[in-house]
Amino acid sequence: MSSVQPAETKTPRKYQLLIDGKWVDAESGKTFLTPNPATGETLAEVAEADKADIDKAVKAARRAFEGKWSKISARDRGRMLYKLSQLIEENSAELAALETADNGKPIKESSYVDLPQVAENFEYFAGWATKIEGETIPVPGQMFNYTLREPVGVCGQIIPWNFPLLMAAWKLAPALAAGNTVVLKPAEQTPVNAMELGKLIEQAGFPEGVVNIVPGYGETAGAALAAHPGIDKVAFTGSTEVGKLVAKAAADNLSKVSLELGGKAPNIVFADADLEQAVNGAMMGIFFNQGQVCCAGSRLFVQEDVNPMDKATHMGPQVSEEQLNRIKGYVDIAQKEGATVVSGGVSPKLEGAFQKGYFFQPTIFSDVKNQMRVAQEEIFGPVVSVIGFRDEDDLIKQANDTIYGLSAGLWTKDITRAHRFAKEIRAGVIWINTYNMFNAASPFGGYKQSGYGREMGKHALEMYTNVKSVWVDLSGKPIGWFGN
Ligand code: NDP
C-alpha cells in the first residue's frame, strides 16, 4: 500500500462547467463533492450539470460546428491537437498527482501509464487531421464518383472513472481530429482532470464551443446527453447495463453510437508457458489499476499443475465506497457458490490518513467453475477466479462462454497454438505472452456485449466521420431516360 500518498486535500478545489468557452455555474446552482478515495476527504466541489446545462452545451457545440470550427483548416486542427499534447506533457506531473488524488490509482500508474498515453493520443490524432481522405470510385460510363469523409457533427461523450483523463483523450482526440465538436460528461467520481483538460484545451487555441465539459450524474446529465436530439453521435464507455440504456436513448434520434463496455477476459496459462512471464502477466492482467479495468484478466484459466499466484503486489484504493461494497458483495457471492479464497478477500486494516480509504486486498479464488457468477459477472476489482483446465477444446468453449468479448490473454511457447487461439477466441483484443498493451495507433474495442466501434488507431476515425458519395456527369449530355 505504500505507493499511494495522501493528496493535499485541505482546501477543496472548485470547478464550474465549461460551456461555449465560458466557465459557468450550473443553471440549478447545484454542486457536488468529489472525495479522495485514499482518505475520504473532499478533493473538489464541482458544478452539477443537468438537462438544462446539457441543452446549452449541445447548442453551443452546434454553433461551433456550423461556425468557426468548420472554417478552420485540417492543418490547424492538427496543430491545436499537437499543442494540446505538448501542454499535457508540460503539466503531466500536476495532472498525474490530481489523477491519483481523484481516482486513487498509485502515482506510479498515473505518471507512467495514464499521462504518457493521454499525450500520445492527442499527438497521434494530431497527425490524422490532414490525412482523413475520400476515394475515387471506378464507376462505369461518363461519370466521376468520389467520396468525402466529413465530420459527423456534435458528439456526446460519456466516460467512466477508471482512467479519467485517458478515457477523455480516447474520445476527444479522434472526434476533434475529424472536425467534430464535443459535449463531454466525465464520471461523477472523477471529474477533476476533465476540468483541468478544459483549461488546457482553451490554451491550445480551440475556439469556444468546440469542447464543452459538463460534469454531473449519469441518471440526469448522462441520460440527457444520450437522448438529446441535437447529438449526432454518442460515444460511451462504462457498464454494459448503462451502455444498453444509452443505445436505447440514442435510438430515438437514430444518433450514431459507439460503446466500449464491460469484459470478463480469459487469461489462459498453458503448461508450456514461461512461468515467470505468465505469473507477472496474470498479476498485471488483474491487479493493475486495482482491478478496475474493462479488459482485466479476471478469469485465469490455468492448465493442470500450474500455480501462477505467489507474489505480493502494491495496490491503491478502489475508486469509491460503492465500488468497494460491490466487490465485497461478490466475495460473499463467490464463497456461497463454493469458491475458496486463496488470498485476500477483505479490506486491509490501515492506520492514519488511510483509515477511511476504500482499500481492498488483491483477492484470488480457487475452486471456481466458469458458470459461477464470480466468473461470469464483471466485478471491476482486484478479484481473480482461477479455473483449471485439461482439454483445449473444452478450454476454448469455456473461454468463449461469456456474454463479453473485449480481450483475452494467452501464455504459451507454442506459436501454432497461440495463433490458433487468437483466431478462435471471440474478443476484440488478444494479447499473446503479454497483457494490457495499448497504443494510440492500435484499435481497441469489443465483440458481443462488450460493445461496438473501435477506439484508437485509424478505426476510431470511422466512428467520427460520415461518408458522402458525390456523382459528377462528365458527358455533358442529358440523362435521356424520358426521351432526347
Ligand atoms: P456506469 O456505466 O454507470 O458509468 C459510466 C458513465 O456513464 C459515467 O459517466 C456515468 O455517470 C454515466 N451514466 C450512468 N448512468 C447513465 C445513464 N442512465 N445514461 C447516461 N450515462 C449514464 O458505471 P459505474 O461507474 O456505475 O460502475 C458500475 C460498473 O460498471 C463497474 O463496477 C464496472 O463493472 C462497470 N464499468 C465498466 C467500465 C469500462 O471501462 N468498461 C468503466 C466503469 C465501470 P456518473 O458515474 O457520473 O453517474
Side-chain angles (χ1 to χ4, degrees):
M1 306 290 164
S2 56
S3 56
V4 181
Q5 301 301 317
E8 305 280 335
T9 54
K10 297 287 172 259
T11 317
R13 293 158 175 265
K14 284 189 191 274
Y15 294 100
Q16 293 173 293
L17 313 176
L18 177 59
I19 298 179
D20 210 8
K22 294 173 198 72
W23 293 91
V24 294
D25 290 332
E27 289 285 301
S28 65
K30 282 194 202 163
T31 58
F32 65 99
L33 302 178
T34 183
N36 176 334
T39 61
E41 285 176 23
T42 299
L43 174 66
E45 182 182 358
V46 185
E48 182 193 324
D50 205 335
K51 204 169 173 187
D53 310 287
I54 296 293
D55 190 54
K56 260 170 63 182
V58 172
K59 286 182 176 143
R62 176 67 56 194
R63 278 195 301 277
F65 180 69
E66 288 170 2
K68 273 191 192 161
W69 191 229
S70 65
K71 300 187 179 53
I72 286 175
S73 69
R75 183 183 182 212
D76 283 343
R77 285 203 309 272
R79 286 160 75 117
M80 286 176 208
L81 282 164
Y82 186 66
K83 171 93 178 143
L84 180 57
S85 75
Q86 289 180 314
L87 288 168
I88 289 162
E89 278 179 2
E90 282 164 25
N91 291 279
S92 67
E94 173 70 3
L95 291 169
L98 277 175
E99 200 76 331
T100 287
D102 202 12
N103 167 280
K105 59 179 71 197
I107 191 71
K108 187 175 160 190
E109 289 184 13
S110 308
S111 306
Y112 299 116
V113 179
D114 296 60
L115 261 299
Q117 288 193 38
V118 171
E120 182 195 46
N121 267 271
F122 285 110
E123 187 181 314
Y124 172 80
F125 281 103
W128 266 112
T130 48
K131 293 159 199 76
I132 300 171
E133 299 167 340
E135 312 147 299
T136 57
I137 319 285
V139 292
Q142 290 290 303
M143 285 286 162
F144 175 40
N145 180 219
Y146 66 94
T147 61
L148 296 173
R149 233 173 217 282
E150 298 184 332
V152 171
V154 178
C155 302
Q157 303 185 322
I158 302 171
I159 55 171
W161 42 260
N162 54 343
F163 294 88
L165 201 48
L166 187 56
M167 292 302 101
W170 280 16
K171 299 259 180 293
L172 284 168
L176 296 172
N180 299 282
T181 57
V182 175
V183 179
L184 176 78
K185 192 203 88 65
E188 80 200 39
Q189 298 86 346
T190 55
V192 168
N193 262 343
M195 310 323 290
E196 294 294 335
L197 184 64
K199 294 181 196 167
L200 299 183
I201 285 170
E202 288 186 313
Q203 281 180 43
F206 288 88
E208 67 275 3
V210 171
V211 178
N212 305 274
I213 307 180
V214 282
Y217 293 105
E219 298 77 15
T220 51
L225 187 54
H228 200 292
I231 292 287
D232 298 296
K233 184 217 149 56
V234 184
F236 172 82
T237 297
S239 60
T240 294
E241 191 190 348
V242 175
K244 288 178 186 175
L245 294 178
V246 165
K248 281 179 195 153
D252 269 346
N253 306 312
L254 291 180
S255 319
K256 274 176 182 257
V257 179
S258 58
L259 302 170
E260 201 266 273
L261 308 176
K264 196 75 194 178
N267 196 5
I268 303 167
V269 181
F270 289 98
D272 72 342
D274 177 324
L275 277 193
E276 200 189 337
Q277 214 186 10
V279 168
N280 260 279
M283 292 199 298
M284 166 69 166
I286 184 64
F287 298 137
F288 172 63
N289 207 39
Q290 295 55 251
Q292 303 166 136
V293 184
C294 48
C295 51
S298 49
R299 289 184 300 149
L300 184 63
F301 287 96
V302 180
Q303 200 159 22
E304 55 184 10
D305 301 331
V306 180
N307 176 17
M309 288 296 182
D310 60 359
K311 286 188 180 172
T313 189
H314 290 273
M315 301 282 292
Q318 307 309 129
V319 75
S320 65
E321 194 171 3
E322 188 188 358
Q323 200 60 21
L324 180 64
N325 290 335
R326 183 186 156 96
I327 295 165
K328 287 179 178 167
Y330 269 105
V331 170
D332 288 346
I333 290 168
Q335 285 173 309
K336 284 191 187 121
E337 287 181 306
T340 308
V341 177
V342 176
S343 130
V346 290
S347 287
K349 301 238 174 313
L350 298 176
E351 304 292 326
F354 300 124
Q355 266 183 67
K356 292 190 187 151
Y358 315 134
F359 292 88
F360 199 73
Q361 286 188 351
T363 299
I364 303 168
F365 276 112
S366 65
D367 301 320
V368 178
K369 300 271 177 296
N370 194 51
Q371 306 84 334
M372 292 179 178
R373 282 184 66 189
V374 69
Q376 287 293 323
E377 297 176 18
E378 189 175 44
I379 299 173
F380 230 62
V383 178
V384 65
S385 296
V386 181
I387 308 172
F389 73 92
R390 279 172 196 276
D391 168 57
E392 283 194 17
D393 288 341
D394 179 51
L395 166 68
I396 197 75
K397 277 198 204 106
Q398 289 195 71
N400 282 332
D401 181 17
T402 160
I403 59 166
Y404 298 113
L406 190 54
S407 62
L410 296 172
W411 303 86
T412 178
K413 288 185 189 139
D414 180 340
I415 189 168
T416 316
R417 176 160 63 191
H419 289 290
R420 190 173 65 246
F421 267 75
K423 221 173 150 191
E424 288 182 356
I425 289 177
R426 296 200 60 218
V429 187
I430 308 286
W431 289 296
I432 299 174
N433 293 333
T434 186
Y435 210 91
N436 279 338
M437 287 296 131
F438 299 92
N439 185 276
S442 181
F444 182 83
Y447 282 28
K448 303 195 275 184
Q449 292 196 29
S450 290
Y452 41 76
R454 291 292 175 268
E455 312 232 45
M456 299 191 289
K458 65 180 176 190
H459 299 275
L461 294 166
E462 285 163 18
M463 311 194 302
Y464 288 105
T465 50
N466 276 329
V467 177
K468 181 181 277 177
S469 178
V470 184
W471 290 79
V472 187
D473 171 78
L474 300 179
S475 72
K477 295 179 188 155
I479 295 176
W481 186 260
F482 296 106
N484 303 320

